[in-house]
Amino acid sequence: MEPLISVIVPVYNVEKYLEQCVESIRNQSYTNLEIILVDDGSPDNCPVMCDRFAEVDERIRVMHKENGGLSDARNAGIGQATGQYIVFVDSDDWIHQDMISILCQALVENGADISTCEYQKVNEDTKLSFNEKKVDLKYIVYNKKEAMEKWLYQKMKGMVWAMLIPKQLCESTLFPKGRLYEDNFVIYKYFWNAHRIVYISNPLYYYRNNPNGIMNRSFTFQMLDEVDGIDEIIDFLSINSSDLLKAAKSRKYSAHCRVIRHMPLENNNSKMHKIGMDLWAFLKNYRWEMMFDFKARLKNRIAAACTIMGYKIFRFV
């Protein structure tokens, strides 16, 4: 018998995209689902839309709660889930009609604890249908340390919304409330507590490049949560698996570059200036190791080389 899978969808201020998201889940070829829509105090028409979806599909349950952010909404959904496994879908994205079926099949056939797939970025005007033709699947099975290394080196994207995760593991590894880049705080724990992870290199999840999303915002100090998440991983690996520290520092290099990219080139904020200089110091101090770490992605190694030319040229490049 197919296991029940809980699909958790945090909903906030996405009335423009919500129907496409929910319909892509309702039309999955894998049907033994419970779909949990967590209305996180959305100020638009989303609460009414969620209730309407529940009226037409008995698999849909709706939670209405005060706004607590993405992590809090996911945690609330976990608390209500009754499935054996959990899939997270963000409410401005959508998924391939066979995504859940493929994730489940890959997990069972390979005796894995977690299955994960690639995602495809889509823009506002991208014309893609979740009913597109079936794909030729490419599976790779990793043990936990192999998966950790691939993820840290960004050779495997590994986002929580493109994974099939045991409910028990989600319950023991809740998301940090109020943090950005919350995935960094939990994925390493997922992998570390799994024996086998099956990776599907096909993009089955469609990630919308939302103009109001985190990656398109101006700098805020909360963006440093990404660095904090990687530092937490480094502290963990220092105790549990020091052979993965090089991979973790590569990930940290990416995080530092990303935060600096969002900072204004010229600013009079002394706190921001100090943080920027601390981030820049790490990039310079670690650049030679980064340049000659041939497991690191080329983008990181080029960024490290560019630091030799100075801060402004690095930013320009």
mmCIF file of all heavy atoms in Angstrom, residues 188 228-241 245 248:
data_model
loop_
_atom_site.group_PDB
_atom_site.id
_atom_site.type_symbol
_atom_site.label_atom_id
_atom_site.label_comp_id
_atom_site.label_asym_id
_atom_site.label_seq_id
_atom_site.Cartn_x
_atom_site.Cartn_y
_atom_site.Cartn_z
ATOM 1 N N TYR A 188 21.346 19.919 6.934
ATOM 2 C CA TYR A 188 22.503 19.120 7.357
ATOM 3 C C TYR A 188 22.112 18.100 8.422
ATOM 4 O O TYR A 188 22.679 17.001 8.487
ATOM 5 C CB TYR A 188 23.648 20.027 7.822
ATOM 6 C CG TYR A 188 23.528 20.594 9.224
ATOM 7 C CD1 TYR A 188 24.123 19.947 10.317
ATOM 8 C CD2 TYR A 188 22.848 21.785 9.454
ATOM 9 C CE1 TYR A 188 24.046 20.477 11.589
ATOM 10 C CE2 TYR A 188 22.766 22.320 10.724
ATOM 11 C CZ TYR A 188 23.363 21.669 11.793
ATOM 12 O OH TYR A 188 23.279 22.191 13.068
ATOM 13 N N ASP A 228 25.215 32.705 9.558
ATOM 14 C CA ASP A 228 25.046 32.037 10.853
ATOM 15 C C ASP A 228 24.733 30.554 10.668
ATOM 16 O O ASP A 228 25.226 29.697 11.414
ATOM 17 C CB ASP A 228 23.924 32.697 11.657
ATOM 18 C CG ASP A 228 24.297 34.092 12.131
ATOM 19 O OD1 ASP A 228 25.484 34.430 12.118
ATOM 20 O OD2 ASP A 228 23.374 34.848 12.512
ATOM 21 N N GLY A 229 23.893 30.248 9.679
ATOM 22 C CA GLY A 229 23.551 28.853 9.423
ATOM 23 C C GLY A 229 24.765 28.033 9.027
ATOM 24 O O GLY A 229 24.953 26.905 9.496
ATOM 25 N N ILE A 230 25.620 28.585 8.166
ATOM 26 C CA ILE A 230 26.831 27.870 7.754
ATOM 27 C C ILE A 230 27.803 27.735 8.922
ATOM 28 O O ILE A 230 28.453 26.703 9.101
ATOM 29 C CB ILE A 230 27.509 28.582 6.573
ATOM 30 C CG1 ILE A 230 26.533 28.726 5.404
ATOM 31 C CG2 ILE A 230 28.747 27.811 6.122
ATOM 32 C CD1 ILE A 230 25.962 27.433 4.884
ATOM 33 N N ASP A 231 27.903 28.773 9.751
ATOM 34 C CA ASP A 231 28.782 28.687 10.934
ATOM 35 C C ASP A 231 28.304 27.583 11.880
ATOM 36 O O ASP A 231 29.128 26.890 12.496
ATOM 37 C CB ASP A 231 28.834 30.031 11.662
ATOM 38 C CG ASP A 231 29.731 31.043 10.956
ATOM 39 O OD1 ASP A 231 30.595 30.613 10.157
ATOM 40 O OD2 ASP A 231 29.564 32.254 11.200
ATOM 41 N N GLU A 232 26.982 27.418 11.997
ATOM 42 C CA GLU A 232 26.448 26.335 12.825
ATOM 43 C C GLU A 232 26.858 24.984 12.256
ATOM 44 O O GLU A 232 27.231 24.063 13.011
ATOM 45 C CB GLU A 232 24.930 26.445 12.901
ATOM 46 C CG GLU A 232 24.276 25.371 13.766
ATOM 47 C CD GLU A 232 22.771 25.530 13.855
ATOM 48 O OE1 GLU A 232 22.323 26.559 14.405
ATOM 49 O OE2 GLU A 232 22.040 24.625 13.395
ATOM 50 N N ILE A 233 26.826 24.856 10.949
ATOM 51 C CA ILE A 233 27.248 23.602 10.299
ATOM 52 C C ILE A 233 28.730 23.344 10.550
ATOM 53 O O ILE A 233 29.138 22.219 10.855
ATOM 54 C CB ILE A 233 26.954 23.662 8.791
ATOM 55 C CG1 ILE A 233 25.451 23.721 8.538
ATOM 56 C CG2 ILE A 233 27.563 22.464 8.071
ATOM 57 C CD1 ILE A 233 25.071 24.019 7.095
ATOM 58 N N ILE A 234 29.542 24.392 10.435
ATOM 59 C CA ILE A 234 30.984 24.240 10.665
ATOM 60 C C ILE A 234 31.260 23.803 12.098
ATOM 61 O O ILE A 234 32.096 22.918 12.347
ATOM 62 C CB ILE A 234 31.714 25.556 10.322
ATOM 63 C CG1 ILE A 234 31.719 25.753 8.796
ATOM 64 C CG2 ILE A 234 33.142 25.555 10.866
ATOM 65 C CD1 ILE A 234 32.283 27.087 8.342
ATOM 66 N N ASP A 235 30.549 24.391 13.051
ATOM 67 C CA ASP A 235 30.717 23.974 14.457
ATOM 68 C C ASP A 235 30.348 22.503 14.623
ATOM 69 O O ASP A 235 31.040 21.755 15.330
ATOM 70 C CB ASP A 235 29.840 24.839 15.369
ATOM 71 C CG ASP A 235 30.338 26.272 15.477
ATOM 72 O OD1 ASP A 235 31.509 26.519 15.132
ATOM 73 O OD2 ASP A 235 29.548 27.145 15.893
ATOM 74 N N PHE A 236 29.267 22.088 13.966
ATOM 75 C CA PHE A 236 28.830 20.691 14.052
ATOM 76 C C PHE A 236 29.866 19.757 13.447
ATOM 77 O O PHE A 236 30.229 18.732 14.038
ATOM 78 C CB PHE A 236 27.488 20.544 13.337
ATOM 79 C CG PHE A 236 26.987 19.127 13.253
ATOM 80 C CD1 PHE A 236 26.284 18.552 14.298
ATOM 81 C CD2 PHE A 236 27.228 18.357 12.118
ATOM 82 C CE1 PHE A 236 25.828 17.239 14.223
ATOM 83 C CE2 PHE A 236 26.776 17.051 12.033
ATOM 84 C CZ PHE A 236 26.078 16.489 13.090
ATOM 85 N N LEU A 237 30.366 20.104 12.275
ATOM 86 C CA LEU A 237 31.322 19.236 11.592
ATOM 87 C C LEU A 237 32.671 19.204 12.304
ATOM 88 O O LEU A 237 33.384 18.194 12.236
ATOM 89 C CB LEU A 237 31.502 19.698 10.142
ATOM 90 C CG LEU A 237 30.274 19.533 9.238
ATOM 91 C CD1 LEU A 237 30.550 20.116 7.857
ATOM 92 C CD2 LEU A 237 29.876 18.064 9.114
ATOM 93 N N SER A 238 33.022 20.289 12.967
ATOM 94 C CA SER A 238 34.291 20.310 13.718
ATOM 95 C C SER A 238 34.325 19.208 14.764
ATOM 96 O O SER A 238 35.383 18.661 15.080
ATOM 97 C CB SER A 238 34.482 21.676 14.397
ATOM 98 O OG SER A 238 34.588 22.699 13.435
ATOM 99 N N ILE A 239 33.154 18.851 15.281
ATOM 100 C CA ILE A 239 33.043 17.805 16.300
ATOM 101 C C ILE A 239 32.783 16.445 15.678
ATOM 102 O O ILE A 239 33.348 15.433 16.105
ATOM 103 C CB ILE A 239 31.918 18.151 17.295
ATOM 104 C CG1 ILE A 239 32.232 19.459 18.020
ATOM 105 C CG2 ILE A 239 31.702 17.018 18.296
ATOM 106 C CD1 ILE A 239 31.074 20.002 18.838
ATOM 107 N N ASN A 240 31.964 16.408 14.623
ATOM 108 C CA ASN A 240 31.457 15.135 14.121
ATOM 109 C C ASN A 240 32.102 14.623 12.834
ATOM 110 O O ASN A 240 32.092 13.412 12.590
ATOM 111 C CB ASN A 240 29.940 15.252 13.890
ATOM 112 C CG ASN A 240 29.176 15.451 15.175
ATOM 113 O OD1 ASN A 240 28.970 14.519 15.937
ATOM 114 N ND2 ASN A 240 28.760 16.689 15.424
ATOM 115 N N SER A 241 32.647 15.516 12.016
ATOM 116 C CA SER A 241 33.204 15.056 10.745
ATOM 117 C C SER A 241 34.114 16.134 10.156
ATOM 118 O O SER A 241 33.759 16.818 9.196
ATOM 119 C CB SER A 241 32.067 14.727 9.753
ATOM 120 O OG SER A 241 32.554 14.120 8.600
ATOM 121 N N LEU A 245 34.985 19.766 6.549
ATOM 122 C CA LEU A 245 35.107 21.194 6.834
ATOM 123 C C LEU A 245 35.483 22.000 5.588
ATOM 124 O O LEU A 245 35.037 23.131 5.408
ATOM 125 C CB LEU A 245 36.133 21.431 7.942
ATOM 126 C CG LEU A 245 35.657 21.126 9.366
ATOM 127 C CD1 LEU A 245 36.802 21.238 10.354
ATOM 128 C CD2 LEU A 245 34.524 22.074 9.756
ATOM 129 N N ALA A 248 32.414 22.693 3.773
ATOM 130 C CA ALA A 248 31.596 23.674 4.486
ATOM 131 C C ALA A 248 32.143 25.091 4.298
ATOM 132 O O ALA A 248 31.380 26.051 4.165
ATOM 133 C CB ALA A 248 31.538 23.324 5.971
#
